Amino acid sequence: MPTRALYNGAMPRTILHLDLDAFFCAVEETQNPSLRGKPFAVGGKPNERGVVASCSYAARKMGVRSAMPMSRALRLCPGLIIVPGRHRLYSEVSQKVMDILHSQSGLVEQISIDEAFLDITNIREDPERFARGLQARIRDELHLPCSIGVASNKLVAKIATEVGKAAALKRIKEQGLAEPPNAVTVVPSGEEAAFLAPLPVEMLWGVGPKTAQRLSELGVHTIGDLAKWQEGDLVRLFGENGRDLSRHARGIDNRPIVTERETKSVSQETTFAVDVVNERTLEKTLRGQAAEVARQLRREHLAGRTIKLKIRWPDFTTLTRQTTLPSPTDLEDEIAATALRLMRQVRKPHQPVRLIGVGVSGLGPPVRQLGLWEKDNEKLRRVQAAVDALQEKYGSDVIHRGEELP
Amino acid sequence: MKVTVLQENLARGLGIVSKAVSPRSTLPVLANVLLASDEGRLRLSATNLELGITCWIPARIEEEGSTTVPARTFSDLVNTLPGDQVSLKLDLPTQTLNVRCGTSTNDIKCIDAQEFPPLPVPDLEGAVQINSGDFREMIHQVAFAASTDEARPVLMGVLIQVEKDKMTMAAADGFRLSVRKAVLATPVPAPVSAIVPAQALKELARVAGDGDEPIYMVLPKGRGQVIFRVKDVELVSQLIDGTFPDFQQIIPRSYKSRTLVSTASLLKACKQAEIFAREGSNVARLNIKSAQGDLQPSEVEISAISEETGKNETIVEATVDGGGLLIAFNVKFLREALEVIRTPNVALETSAPNAPGVIRPVGDENFLHVIMPMHLG
């Protein structure tokens, strides 16, 4: 059970949102100071259809953005230095940041590798001074820049970070510089709606391109426009989502800080375009899914004991079968072998399959019992580590199992 | 067949053989117990083809004969009969056993004794002979370390080796190894080596009772079986085929750190840690702290943590010879090993967080237990 901060919606809270500025690049700079100030991007190589995972502020100045194909980034910024990602390192550094946050407040919710919420209601210090202090500590101890937003709830705090970042970057650009924003933005209690009012409605959670277009047709462009609508009308137009839209537009968000890791399971599933009868195809699919699940587990430094198989027949009846291993695993072969065994238990030969999937739960730290004799597993583990390193460096296409080849 | 027995003896005998009954076999007779008059006693036998148990109880035989009676029906009935004389009378043509005791009379449908698989008769000449108390303790200290994983049948057994007057028992499940030695009163003429299913040995320890009578062990040539005889009970088991891994090779010959602790204190700390560890991966961390100076007292800190339930930490006083070390073990393995140690103090020998740890009772050279640590990822 994740622990939630008790919150009844009545007591005003102070929520801090922290976002590490260009995190992967900032970590790379700590490792290689010669990168500082240069346009560079962390990501895959352009000839491997790589994309930009993170880019330095010098690169951003040239128009490079994250999630952009590397080939396009290179056209925009011909001198762009491409740095292969080192995700293990980033998670280690991220953990150090989170440790600092935990030393400040027991109520920390990590939302991604470079973002977290803190409930600082019980900290008496002035929120802006506290935020500046935290920012300075992360800069001094870990040499990492970050931007912070503070407000009475998660929604407004996160938007405050974004608004502050954008404003700081604009100012820095006008000065002809390229450096991290290091912004701190505080929205005082009671001023949430006023703060949000001029912002484009797309900045609200739950407003995707589709909703934004419908809102635009209704003449709603800013969050302030949306706040003028009656909740009942929005519910009529957007269903349940309308209630959230209305409340969020007025700066109301009662969601508590969720302090525990939310990852309860990792899974993959595939719906086939045509029902599959061929056992080898199913095996190959499961193996691929196991590989992805295992990779995800290792990336998050987790391992799980329960392996679950999901299978759907052409008539849409769906079965799940699971089994618990003696000790947690994050290894593709072990997950695949277990899933295959489960599949052979439920599927009659030649029975067509519509969907198949594999998942791992019962997650925890990747502890494992060492064996008296079996060096096999250790060998496999070393091979896996080498494959992981190669794929992290050169992309997932660089190395394959022989049997995956056409 | 017509015999009279005491209810008490019959109930005890059925209790002994019942573990070998196979209620869900494709062979219906395996769900039955063989009753046969045998030289002035009543013989009870049950087998599941892997394991067979026979027990003889005192009886007054009026008419020789034999049959097989459904174990469940017969045991349940006998257990409710008064502590009195029970008369058993078989009607041969219908294979119906009349069971009469006090005012109660019952007819049970039986299966012809001809269908019951024959159990081997041991030749006790040249049998390995060992004190029953010692043998029970050996089983107790070793069999729990055997594997329950049917994928590795050899490890589901206990290796028994006898050479001259030395007997060794060893079991390992791939993560831990238990080895116990004993000296026999009578040396054996030829060396013996066999892998006996751990379950059969546990059963033997149960049926052997508390007495101090000798246990005889016989391995009939070329049969792939072992027969044990103690008092009026005989147990026969199939041996496990295969080669037991070379266990001597995995017993570390040296250590970097030797930690002496009170067995009871360490066991208690492990039991507490297990309450938390069992929710997760069963890991307990042992922080062995090196002594400040020669012969100075030191300590081991045992801790376990669970995301769900919380955490535990216990400090146990220790004498640490060598460097400090942080090592993690499956706390169940640690607890199970400590539970079979009788000496007041125990030594834990360690070398590295990924190298096997050895547990030895202090002052008893006959037992040792090796546990592989857990890797903390």
Side-chain angles (χ1 to χ4, degrees):
Chain A
M1 272 290 289
T3 341
R4 283 162 195 279
L6 285 176
Y7 175 58
N8 58 16
M11 210 178 68
R13 296 178 300 166
T14 311
I15 304 295
L16 181 148
H17 174 255
L18 180 137
D19 188 0
L20 294 160
D21 296 329
F23 175 55
F24 295 173
C25 289
V27 175
E28 290 298 339
E29 283 182 19
T30 65
Q31 301 289 306
N32 179 4
S34 74
L35 286 171
R36 208 157 282 160
K38 297 213 177 105
F40 72 97
V42 172
K45 295 207 162 148
N47 52 358
E48 283 155 8
R49 292 176 296 166
V51 293
V52 176
S54 172
C55 56
S56 71
Y57 287 95
R60 280 177 207 217
K61 221 176 130 189
M62 309 290 288
V64 180
R65 295 285 178 272
S66 6
M68 179 181 273
M70 199 56 92
S71 47
R72 180 148 171 245
L74 270 174
R75 278 199 300 278
L76 285 165
C77 179
L80 188 72
I81 304 165
I82 300 172
V83 179
R86 294 185 278 182
H87 291 276
R88 184 174 282 262
L89 173 68
Y90 306 150
S91 10
E92 281 167 19
V93 178
S94 166
Q95 192 50 54
K96 286 184 188 154
V97 176
M98 297 306 151
D99 289 346
I100 292 182
L101 301 187
H102 278 283
S103 73
Q104 301 287 330
S105 162
L107 295 171
V108 178
E109 176 180 352
Q110 182 173 0
I111 45 181
S112 70
I113 194 161
D114 57 359
E115 259 183 286
F117 286 115
L118 263 78
D119 189 325
I120 55 166
T121 308
N122 291 330
I123 293 175
R124 298 210 172 160
E125 207 178 333
D126 167 66
E128 176 150 6
R129 267 188 57 186
F130 176 80
R132 288 279 175 209
L134 187 61
Q135 196 181 43
R137 190 169 161 202
I138 294 170
R139 188 178 52 232
D140 295 346
E141 290 181 20
L142 304 170
H143 309 288
L144 297 172
C146 67
S147 292
I148 292 174
V150 182
S152 63
N153 60 50
K154 283 160 82 167
L155 171 87
V156 181
K158 187 174 159 77
I159 294 178
T161 306
E162 286 172 44
V163 169
K165 245 185 181 187
L169 282 175
K170 198 173 158 216
R171 197 170 58 243
I172 291 164
K173 199 177 171 188
E174 279 164 7
Q175 292 166 350
L177 299 171
E179 53 187 48
N182 270 313
V184 170
T185 313
V186 178
V187 180
S189 178
E191 292 176 24
E192 294 84 359
F195 169 77
L196 295 177
L199 302 172
V201 76
E202 288 89 342
M203 284 186 82
L204 280 185
W205 279 337
V207 180
K210 260 192 177 159
T211 312
Q213 200 195 328
R214 282 195 65 192
L215 286 169
S216 166
E217 286 161 10
L218 296 165
V220 173
H221 303 287
T222 66
I223 298 177
D225 295 340
L226 185 61
K228 287 185 199 123
W229 281 66
Q230 290 294 317
E231 185 174 316
D233 294 337
L234 289 175
V235 172
R236 205 157 29 75
L237 285 163
F238 295 97
E240 269 311 294
N241 193 25
R243 197 179 313 279
D244 282 345
L245 279 178
S246 166
R247 296 171 67 83
H248 289 173
R250 288 176 283 143
I252 301 167
D253 172 25
N254 288 339
R255 281 166 311 161
I257 297 283
V258 182
T259 56
E260 228 168 76
R261 178 168 43 222
E262 286 287 82
T263 313
K264 292 265 185 252
S265 69
V266 175
S267 61
Q268 287 279 318
E269 58 181 56
T270 307
T271 305
F272 298 110
V274 181
D275 295 342
V276 170
V277 176
N278 186 311
E279 168 116 6
R280 265 202 46 82
T281 311
L282 293 172
E283 225 183 282
K284 240 174 110 176
T285 311
L286 271 185
R287 207 166 256 295
Q289 292 169 342
E292 184 47 43
V293 166
R295 196 155 37 229
Q296 215 169 318
L297 287 171
R298 291 194 300 271
R299 206 181 297 136
E300 296 192 39
H301 290 278
L302 291 170
R305 282 182 71 183
T306 305
I307 313 290
K308 185 160 147 185
L309 173 88
K310 180 173 172 183
I311 199 161
R312 183 171 292 155
W313 312 120
D315 66 358
F316 280 89
T317 50
T318 307
L319 293 180
T320 58
R321 287 290 180 274
Q322 62 178 51
T323 185
T324 299
L325 303 173
S327 61
T329 185
D330 57 4
L331 282 184
E332 164 185 345
D333 279 349
E334 212 169 338
I335 298 169
T338 312
L340 282 171
R341 208 171 57 236
L342 290 170
M343 180 181 82
R344 289 186 187 125
Q345 282 167 16
V346 297
R347 180 174 170 266
K348 295 182 213 62
H350 311 298
Q351 191 172 4
V353 173
R354 181 184 165 80
L355 170 151
I356 199 158
V358 62
V360 176
S361 59
L363 302 183
V367 290
R368 61 177 202 277
Q369 173 67 53
L370 302 175
L372 284 169
W373 294 285
E374 33 183 305
K375 304 287 174 228
D376 312 1
N377 235 352
E378 291 309 306
K379 222 185 239 171
L380 193 69
R381 208 164 269 289
R382 281 204 297 277
V383 170
Q384 190 67 68
V387 170
D388 280 352
L390 280 170
Q391 292 188 332
E392 214 145 275
K393 203 160 174 192
Y394 301 108
S396 60
D397 285 341
V398 70
I399 182 165
H400 277 293
R401 265 173 194 277
E403 62 199 35
E404 283 169 18
L405 292 175
Chain B
M1 182 180 74
K2 192 174 172 198
V3 297
T4 310
V5 289
L6 268 177
Q7 184 272 346
E8 185 190 310
N9 288 337
L10 188 56
R12 183 180 58 87
L14 285 170
I16 286 172
V17 302
S18 65
K19 276 290 169 64
V21 172
S22 173
R24 277 172 297 276
S25 167
T26 45
L27 223 59
V29 77
L30 297 187
N32 287 13
V33 172
L34 175 79
L35 304 179
S37 58
D38 189 1
E39 297 178 354
R41 292 186 296 176
L42 181 67
R43 172 184 160 201
L44 314 175
S45 290
T47 178
N48 58 20
L49 301 181
E50 294 277 318
L51 175 76
I53 306 177
T54 296
C55 174
W56 287 267
I57 61 169
R60 199 172 70 239
I61 314 283
E62 290 167 47
E63 204 182 303
E64 303 280 341
S66 60
T67 188
T68 74
V69 56
R72 175 99 194 276
T73 311
F74 193 47
S75 297
D76 286 355
L77 174 66
V78 170
N79 285 332
T80 58
L81 294 177
D84 209 341
Q85 300 262 329
V86 182
S87 101
L88 307 172
K89 192 177 167 213
L90 180 71
D91 178 49
L92 202 56
T94 58
Q95 284 289 332
T96 303
L97 185 71
N98 178 258
V99 182
R100 192 185 285 268
C101 178
T103 54
S104 153
T105 176
N106 313 267
D107 285 326
I108 304 177
K109 293 179 180 171
C110 296
I111 300 177
D112 195 317
Q114 297 289 327
E115 292 185 30
F116 196 80
L119 292 172
V121 180
D123 177 5
L124 292 183
E125 191 75 29
V128 179
Q129 188 182 334
I130 181 164
N131 170 289
S132 143
D134 285 352
F135 204 64
R136 274 200 317 271
E137 184 175 274
M138 290 182 89
I139 294 170
H140 184 56
Q141 290 185 321
V142 171
F144 73 94
S147 173
T148 51
D149 181 2
E150 291 182 3
R152 302 177 76 180
V154 166
L155 297 186
M156 294 178 78
V158 171
L159 177 70
I160 301 181
Q161 287 177 319
V162 192
E163 203 179 340
K164 293 187 184 121
D165 64 344
K166 288 190 178 59
M167 180 179 225
T168 306
M169 266 194 203
D173 64 1
F175 310 115
R176 53 181 168 165
L177 163 75
S178 222
V179 182
R180 168 68 147 86
K181 292 181 183 141
V183 176
L184 305 178
T186 332
V188 291
V192 172
S193 178
I195 307 171
V196 182
Q199 273 312 321
L201 287 178
K202 286 180 187 167
E203 212 38 55
L204 175 66
R206 184 183 71 92
V207 302
D210 299 331
D212 248 342
E213 296 83 354
I215 292 184
Y216 299 89
M217 178 173 91
V218 184
L219 290 128
K221 276 220 155 40
R223 303 265 323 245
Q225 287 175 329
V226 61
I227 306 166
F228 296 97
R229 156 81 73 87
V230 56
K231 283 185 297 184
D232 48 8
V233 178
E234 230 170 70
L235 182 145
V236 54
S237 169
Q238 297 294 336
L239 294 177
I240 297 175
D241 229 10
T243 312
F244 199 83
D246 181 4
F247 69 87
Q248 297 289 359
Q249 178 216 322
I250 53 172
I251 301 172
R253 285 179 181 73
S254 61
Y255 57 81
K256 294 223 172 86
S257 172
R258 187 164 191 265
T259 308
L260 278 177
V261 283
S262 138
T263 313
S265 310
L266 187 59
L267 177 58
K268 203 172 190 181
C270 286
K271 283 181 171 170
Q272 287 170 356
E274 195 174 0
I275 296 169
F276 294 88
R278 68 187 176 204
E279 303 294 327
S281 316
N282 255 348
V283 195
R285 288 170 169 77
L286 270 66
N287 188 358
I288 299 168
K289 298 179 181 168
S290 65
Q292 294 305 310
D294 260 1
L295 301 171
Q296 289 292 306
S298 186
E299 61 189 37
V300 188
E301 192 182 282
I302 295 105
S303 63
I305 184 160
S306 154
E307 303 235 334
E308 305 267 309
T309 45
K311 60 183 178 180
N312 150 274
E313 199 180 287
T314 312
I315 289 168
V316 174
E317 280 179 27
T319 308
V320 179
D321 172 15
L325 181 74
L326 181 66
I327 190 166
F329 287 108
N330 180 327
V331 67
K332 177 175 162 258
F333 291 174
L334 215 48
R335 192 250 304 151
E336 287 183 341
L338 291 168
E339 273 174 347
V340 301
I341 288 178
R342 299 261 172 109
T343 59
N345 292 305
V346 65
L348 172 65
E349 298 168 1
T350 50
S351 292
N354 60 357
V358 183
I359 295 173
R360 296 178 195 269
V362 174
D364 175 7
E365 297 288 303
N366 285 324
F367 178 72
L368 76 86
H369 193 83
V370 180
I371 308 182
M372 281 307 285
M374 291 184 89
H375 180 87
L376 292 174

